[in-house]
Amino acid sequence: MRVFGCQQNFSDGEKLRGVLATCGFAAAPDIDRADVIIFDTCAVREHAEERVFGNVGALKSVKQDRRETVIAVVGCMTAQPTVARKMRDSYPFVDIICGTNALTELPRMLCEVFLSNSTVTEVGGETFPLDDSFEQLHTVRDNSFKASVPIMYGCDNFCSYCVVPYVRGRERSRAPEKIIAEVRALVADGVKYVLLLGQNVNSYNADKYDFARLLSELDEIDGDFWLDFMTSHPKDCSEGLIDIIAQSRHIVHRLHLPAQSGNDRVLRDMNRHYSRARYLQLARYAREKMPLMSLTTDILVGFPTETDSDFEDTLSLITDAQIDASYTFLYSPRTGTKAATLPDPSTKVEKQARFDKLLAAQRAVSEQLYARYFGVTMRVLCDSLGRVNTGVDGWYSGKSREGIIVDFMSNVDIKGQFVNVVITDTKHWAVVGKLI
Ligand code: 5AD
Ligand code: SF4
């Protein structure tokens, strides 16, 4: 199975693995020996879809050599009826095509293909399951000490550039007692990092619980673990939520708050429902409460109505909000969204120039901000062997409670453990330190 896209897709992937395990399948050592090949796809940008088309196209020879291999393309990309049709027309050798919301049907589809040798297309885009059939699926976790827990599915925000509300449907919040029980069980099982997932976790709403109450109750669970969440929408993020994070025992001191743009008119055109001033207010409040916290963001460059002069406001937001790191994306028109119908006068070259400027500005701000960790002792959850970006032996890499990548040396294997590291050097994407 290959998973593309966001954390939610990776979480879906763990469920798919559970479904397959229940059906008696185990992971194949390599693609040439797989009986079933699954691509779990992303629709957020065209580039992601092109990659999947390329990867699936390359499987034609596999199907020619081993006709019995079942190929399935599932997820957000194939939840769009036009894309599902294009997949079917371009690659008739694909056996199963289904959308994100039809994943519970995968065992039945596999049976149909195995028993009748027919192909199955089930987009499922219009009929989102309102019951908890999806969440009841068995999960096979990728990692023994890190786990993600979806708290809600779908999105109601309809940001004008985004396809997610169309492919994942309306917001559905999971029952709080199920989430609390799941986190409790994960912690009891030795999990050290729990990531709560939702397209807009701030609009979590179920059985008299809002997100703040859910987070507070999860924070009361005993044990040595960190609690993280994504994604938080600035329109619904509040000072109260930041207070909860600051006072918490387990919640990470990192806020991922996608700004998308720093210009008020562009934000309005994006249907984001907050202003630059409000974003700055939240950023400053968070920093005031937690000086060492990290603030990360998503920026969309080249939205159709964005001009070079509007973009200057995005550039200055990076400095004014003191953003530690930004995930930057070039706008990609998505069929069915409002933005895709807008005139888009800026050229590719102009948009690329804005993108490059943003990377340079972010690098300068990060370099200066990361320097504040020099000499600080950070608690780090050790993630992997090898220094980030070099993989040199003897090094380990982990993340601090602020979500900062920390590289350090160790003679003993400490993967999956909390350690303390004093920071001796800082870069613009990571810090380096000495294990205490
Ligand atoms: N084009 C480019 N980037 C997009 N994103 C969402 N839709 C698009 C699009 N049409 C980005 C946003 C979002 C992140 C997950 O993906 O920045 O926060
Ligand atoms: Fe897309 Fe906006 Fe929903 Fe995020 S909040 S998934 S950007 S529509």
Side-chain angles (χ1 to χ4, degrees):
M1 176 159 61
R2 262 198 81 183
V3 182
F4 296 81
C6 67
Q7 304 277 0
Q8 182 59 55
N9 253 22
F10 280 86
S11 166
D12 291 350
E14 293 186 332
K15 289 253 185 274
L16 283 180
R17 247 177 237 128
V19 168
L20 293 170
T22 310
C23 297
F25 290 96
D30 55 59
I31 201 164
D32 294 329
R33 276 180 279 176
D35 295 323
V36 179
I37 300 172
I38 301 181
F39 287 95
D40 188 9
T41 62
C42 169
V44 170
R45 283 169 288 274
E46 194 180 2
H47 177 65
E49 294 193 346
E50 282 165 357
R51 268 179 68 205
V52 171
F53 269 105
N55 277 284
V56 175
L59 291 182
K60 191 171 177 186
S61 58
V62 171
K63 199 70 176 176
Q64 274 163 353
D65 292 348
R66 291 182 294 126
R67 289 193 47 154
E68 67 285 1
T69 311
V70 173
I71 298 175
V73 185
V74 307
C76 289
M77 184 177 152
T78 36
Q80 305 166 96
T82 46
V83 180
R85 215 171 303 126
K86 185 175 160 203
M87 182 66 69
R88 161 86 36 257
D89 294 344
S90 315
Y91 303 129
F93 58 85
V94 174
D95 300 286
I96 294 173
I97 296 175
C98 86
T100 322
N101 297 291
L103 290 180
T104 42
E105 297 298 314
L106 195 65
R108 178 182 56 73
M109 295 182 205
L110 281 171
C111 268
E112 270 178 46
V113 174
F114 280 125
L115 295 177
S116 65
N117 223 353
S118 59
T119 61
V120 187
T121 303
E122 201 135 333
V123 173
E126 305 305 318
T127 50
F128 305 106
L130 292 173
D131 58 16
D132 60 359
S133 49
F134 186 68
E135 60 179 276
Q136 281 190 2
L137 295 176
H138 173 56
T139 301
V140 173
R141 289 208 326 264
D142 279 345
N143 189 301
S144 62
F145 59 93
K146 296 200 294 187
S148 51
V149 174
I151 62 166
M152 57 186 297
Y153 298 101
C155 181
D156 286 352
N157 290 309
F158 289 94
C159 300
S160 63
Y161 50 81
C162 184
V163 78
V164 169
Y166 303 94
V167 294
R168 286 198 175 262
R170 298 291 61 73
E171 285 175 2
R172 282 111 44 215
S173 293
R174 291 181 61 199
E177 64 275 12
K178 284 196 180 151
I179 298 169
I180 294 167
E182 196 173 321
V183 174
R184 230 183 254 290
L186 286 168
V187 172
D189 199 30
V191 168
K192 301 280 198 305
Y193 172 89
V194 179
L195 174 63
L196 307 176
L197 286 179
Q199 303 298 339
N200 175 10
V201 288
N202 301 107
S203 55
Y204 176 85
N205 186 355
D207 302 341
K208 300 204 187 89
Y209 274 72
D210 60 6
F211 183 55
R213 180 168 174 206
L214 179 70
L215 210 48
S216 301
E217 291 202 15
L218 289 172
D219 192 51
E220 278 169 23
I221 296 175
D222 286 329
D224 197 9
F225 72 99
W226 284 342
L227 199 55
D228 197 356
F229 58 86
M230 73 186 322
T231 296
S232 208
H233 194 307
K235 83 177 162 65
D236 303 312
C237 181
S238 65
E239 280 77 359
L241 182 74
I242 293 168
D243 289 341
I244 290 173
I245 300 172
Q247 289 154 16
S248 71
R249 302 194 295 164
H250 302 293
I251 306 170
V252 301
H253 286 181
R254 178 193 71 131
L255 192 57
H256 183 65
L257 204 57
Q260 311 297 357
S261 168
N263 176 273
D264 282 341
R265 190 190 42 75
V266 174
L267 284 172
R268 259 197 312 279
D269 293 349
M270 288 178 165
N271 196 31
R272 292 288 288 175
H273 297 280
Y274 53 86
S275 63
R276 172 196 178 86
R278 175 63 183 148
Y279 190 91
L280 286 174
Q281 205 175 25
L282 284 169
R284 286 177 187 148
Y285 187 82
R287 274 281 151 67
E288 208 179 285
K289 293 281 161 175
M290 294 169 278
L292 288 181
M293 69 148 320
S294 73
L295 178 64
T296 60
T297 198
D298 289 350
I299 300 286
L300 186 55
V301 180
F303 183 79
T305 64
E306 180 186 81
T307 63
D308 279 344
S309 126
D310 298 332
F311 179 71
E312 291 301 315
D313 291 337
T314 303
L315 270 187
S316 62
L317 184 82
I318 303 295
T319 316
D320 292 353
Q322 295 279 283
I323 304 279
D324 286 274
S326 51
Y327 299 87
T328 44
F329 307 101
L330 266 175
Y331 168 71
S332 162
R334 305 283 61 211
T335 309
T337 61
K338 173 136 186 270
T341 64
L342 297 173
D344 192 355
S346 297
T347 63
K348 255 189 169 167
V349 174
E350 284 165 338
K351 292 185 179 194
Q352 188 62 48
R354 287 178 213 160
F355 189 86
D356 295 343
K357 265 184 164 179
L358 184 69
L359 291 192
Q362 181 63 70
R363 189 189 161 126
V365 173
S366 301
E367 211 156 80
Q368 171 221 329
L369 280 176
Y370 273 47
R372 74 191 186 284
Y373 296 119
F374 186 86
V376 171
T377 298
M378 288 177 132
R379 186 148 200 254
V380 178
L381 177 59
C382 184
D383 234 352
S384 59
L385 195 62
R387 191 172 173 169
V388 167
N389 292 350
T390 65
V392 177
D393 270 358
W395 285 83
Y396 281 82
S397 193
K399 275 199 178 163
S400 73
R401 186 168 174 187
E402 297 77 16
I404 301 291
I405 297 172
V406 184
D407 290 334
F408 52 95
M409 287 191 106
S410 169
N411 300 327
V412 281
D413 184 359
I414 42 171
K415 199 171 153 197
Q417 291 177 35
F418 284 114
V419 291
N420 288 319
V421 178
V422 61
I423 306 307
T424 54
D425 191 13
T426 65
K427 318 254 177 228
H428 69 274
W429 74 95
V431 297
V432 183
K434 251 183 123 172
L435 185 66
I436 296 178

